Structures are given as C-alpha cells and as structure tokens.
C-alpha cells in the first residue's frame, strides 16, 4: 500500500511541476508585469502569464522543454521503502511521460539513443540527503536545456575571489543573454571545488523560493546588491529590454579548501518548476 501511495504522490508532484511554475515564481512574474513600463517587455510577460493560465487550466506542460528529471530527496532513517525509492520514483517518471505527456528528454551521450520515457543511466537524477526521521520528503525539479547551456563554474585563488565574484556573475548574465529565457533566477554556489559549487548553485536557483534571503546578513546583502545590478543591465524579459532581467539571486556556500575558491553560476528560467511531497510510513502525505 505504501509503495502505491508513494508512486501516486510522486506522479502528482511531476504533473504539478510540469504544468506550471512554482507558486512563488508565478507571483514574481505578476509583480514583474506590474513593474515593467516598456511595451515589448509587458507584451512578453503578458504572453508568459497567459501561457501559465492555459497550461494550468488545460493540464498540459507549461513549456515544450519538459526538462531533465531530477529529484531532491530527504530520506529518513526509518522510512520503510528506502531500498525501493529510486525504482518507485523512476516508474512515476515513466508513467507521467506517457500520460501527461512529457517530451522524452534523456539521450545516450554517445549514440544519442532516446529510450522515450525520460529514464536511462542516471536518469532520473537523485540528490539524496539522509536524516534522523521516519518519512521521505522530495522535490521534483525538471530543468530545461536552455538554462543549462550558459551555466558556468570557476576555481579562483582565494585572494581575488570575493572581488571577482560580482563581475563573474554579471558577465555570466550578459553572456547568457536571452538563452535561459529571462526573467531568470540566478543561483550562485561557493565551495572547495567546481562540482560542489555547481551543485549548490543549481539548488539555489531551483529550490529556494523567490524573495527568500540567506540567513547570514552579509550574504543576504550581496544577493540584493547583485539582483539590483543585474536588473540595471536592462536586458529584460527574453532580452527585449526592460527593468526585470532577474526575479532573484540566491547564494549558497559550504566551507572551502584554504587554497581554492570555487564559484558556480546556474540559471533557472521564468518557468522554474518544482513540486514535492512528504510521505509518512502510515501512508499519510503532505504536498509541498
């Protein structure tokens, strides 16, 4: 019974994430529409909001690029199905791909063979955090290719890294241009190596709600300063010009090596999609 409940809840999360941006993103887009003054930007934002309205009401994918299937999971020590979680969530992806439907977006890197169901080696991708509890909590985050192409990662000498960080972020936004479908969320990760920094940046861009601030005041201030600087660039929605190029900037860090300062910069588009749930051993669940 619990296995069927987890499958059902996972399918629901995949569908909810696929048919529209997260609630906080939708609200931010409405505020951007109110803030914009240029006709071209307002027309583009109106089209985006209409697109969200139609995809939600018709229960169809909000974007033709339905993303690469990724689950961020918090898995309790006492959750009964620990060894079955990957299989159940993968099956949920297979079934929703056929039923909603979703565009098959997983291909073999050499042969380019597409299995047609959004699965394969490493697909879906699972990011798992263990904790002392008896439930599972997960987010489904389907992130599209347009926001991955301009992603960047650097490792700098620590002595110059903090001075260079704002420039690197702004240059990344300019280099990305309209490719990641702005208005974007910019995730910045800081850590000891490029793989860790990029992972942090992706979670910062996709999981944290728009408007949230880092708990450390100095970092929260940097997030706000970078957001203002990006929006002063005037690139605007889809690059047509305007006041809102980014909906937010989120920074996350872990402790680094004394000799390295790695920075990851990852974008998430206006259609930032995430939905999840918490499932308990007795079958109860909460949507998040």
């Amino acid at each position: 019974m619990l296995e069927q409940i987890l499958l059902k809840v996972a399918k629901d999360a995949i569908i909810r994430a696929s048919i529209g941006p997260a609630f906080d993103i939708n609200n931010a887009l409405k505020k951007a529409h109110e803030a914009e003054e240029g006709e071209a930007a307002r027309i583009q934002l109106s089209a985006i909001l209409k697109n969200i309205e139609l995809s939600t009401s018709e229960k169809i994918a909000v974007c033709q690029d339905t993303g690469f299937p990724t689950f961020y999971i918090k898995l309790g020590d006492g959750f009964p199905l620990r060894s079955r979680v990957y299989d159940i969530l993968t099956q949920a992806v297979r079934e929703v791909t056929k039923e909603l439907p979703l565009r098959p977006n997983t291909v073999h890197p050499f042969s380019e063979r597409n299995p047609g169901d959004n699965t394969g080696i490493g697909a879906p991708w699972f990011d798992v955090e263990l904790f002392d509890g008896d439930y599972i909590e997960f987010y489904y985050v389907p992130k599209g290719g347009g926001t991955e192409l301009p992603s960047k990662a650097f490792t700098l000498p620590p002595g110059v890294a903090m001075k260079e960080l704002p420039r690197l972020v702004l240059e990344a936004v300019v280099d990305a241009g309209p490719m990641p479908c702005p208005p974007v969320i910019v995730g910045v990760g800081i850590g000891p190596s490029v793989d860790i920094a990029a992972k942090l940046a992706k979670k910062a861009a996709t999981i944290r709600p728009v408007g949230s601030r880092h708990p450390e005041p100095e970092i929260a201030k940097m997030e706000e300063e970078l957001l203002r600087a990006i929006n002063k660039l005037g690139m605007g929605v889809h690059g047509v010009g305007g006041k809102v190029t980014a909906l937010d900037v989120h920074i996350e860090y872990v402790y680094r090596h004394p000799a390295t300062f790695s920075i990851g910069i990852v974008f998430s588009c206006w259609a930032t999609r995430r939905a999840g749930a918490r499932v308990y051993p007795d079958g109860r669940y909460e949507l998040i």
Side-chain angles (χ1 to χ4, degrees):
M1 178 65 73
L2 182 59
E3 184 168 330
Q4 290 303 311
I5 290 171
L6 180 56
L7 177 65
K8 174 184 177 299
V9 172
K11 289 178 64 175
D12 176 77
I14 295 167
I15 292 168
R16 285 189 293 123
S18 299
I19 66 176
F23 185 73
D24 55 290
I25 309 297
N26 203 356
N27 284 342
L29 290 167
K30 291 176 181 177
K31 290 179 181 178
H33 184 264
E34 294 171 1
E36 283 292 5
E37 298 171 353
E39 183 180 2
R42 288 183 61 83
I43 289 172
Q44 291 293 324
L45 284 165
S46 294
I48 286 172
L49 293 170
K50 183 65 176 178
N51 186 61
I52 295 169
E53 178 187 331
L54 289 171
S55 66
T56 304
S57 63
E58 299 297 324
K59 290 186 169 48
I60 55 177
V62 72
C63 178
Q64 74 275 12
D65 184 349
T66 54
F68 186 91
T70 302
F71 287 93
Y72 291 98
I73 301 169
K74 290 180 64 177
L75 184 58
D77 293 335
F79 187 70
L81 298 177
R82 287 167 62 91
S83 65
R84 292 281 298 138
V85 165
Y86 284 16
D87 289 341
I88 294 167
L89 298 184
T90 299
Q91 183 61 26
V93 170
R94 286 195 186 98
E95 292 185 14
V96 175
T97 297
K98 181 180 179 180
E99 294 167 8
L100 189 58
L102 303 176
R103 189 177 77 182
N105 273 345
T106 58
V107 295
H108 189 288
F110 294 97
S111 69
E112 296 193 351
R113 185 185 72 84
N114 188 323
D117 61 3
N118 277 311
T119 69
I121 296 174
W125 185 259
F126 299 102
D127 184 298
V128 182
E129 175 185 344
L130 304 178
F131 74 102
D132 182 14
D134 65 355
Y135 62 86
I136 182 174
E137 179 179 298
F138 65 87
Y139 280 100
Y140 177 73
V141 179
K143 193 166 181 291
T147 59
E148 287 298 328
L149 285 166
S151 298
K152 296 181 182 294
F154 312 86
T155 298
L156 304 178
V160 301
M162 286 305 295
K163 181 180 178 181
E164 290 292 301
L165 191 151
R167 178 183 66 80
L168 291 172
V169 172
L170 290 173
E171 286 185 355
V173 173
V174 172
D175 289 347
M179 185 182 299
C181 294
V184 294
I185 302 167
V186 183
V188 180
I190 298 170
S193 58
V194 291
D195 60 316
I196 295 173
K199 177 179 177 180
L200 291 169
K202 183 174 179 179
K203 291 183 75 172
T206 58
I207 298 295
R208 271 181 54 185
V210 168
S212 65
R213 284 289 159 260
H214 196 281
E216 297 183 27
E218 182 180 1
I219 299 174
K221 181 181 178 183
M222 183 178 291
E223 291 175 338
E224 293 170 351
E225 289 174 346
L226 284 170
L227 178 61
R228 285 195 294 269
I230 290 169
N231 285 333
K232 284 182 180 178
L233 295 172
M235 293 170 57
V237 56
H238 290 310
V240 301
K243 298 169 65 175
V244 184
T245 301
L247 299 175
D248 215 342
V249 176
H250 296 152
I251 301 173
E252 297 293 339
Y253 76 88
V254 296
Y255 277 34
R256 59 175 177 80
H257 188 280
T260 62
F261 195 116
S262 295
I263 301 168
I265 303 168
V266 174
F267 299 91
S268 194
C269 63
W270 67 259
T272 294
R273 293 154 286 179
R274 82 174 99 82
R278 179 181 292 180
V279 181
Y280 297 90
D282 62 3
R284 290 180 299 117
Y285 62 87
E286 303 167 5
L287 303 180
I288 54 178

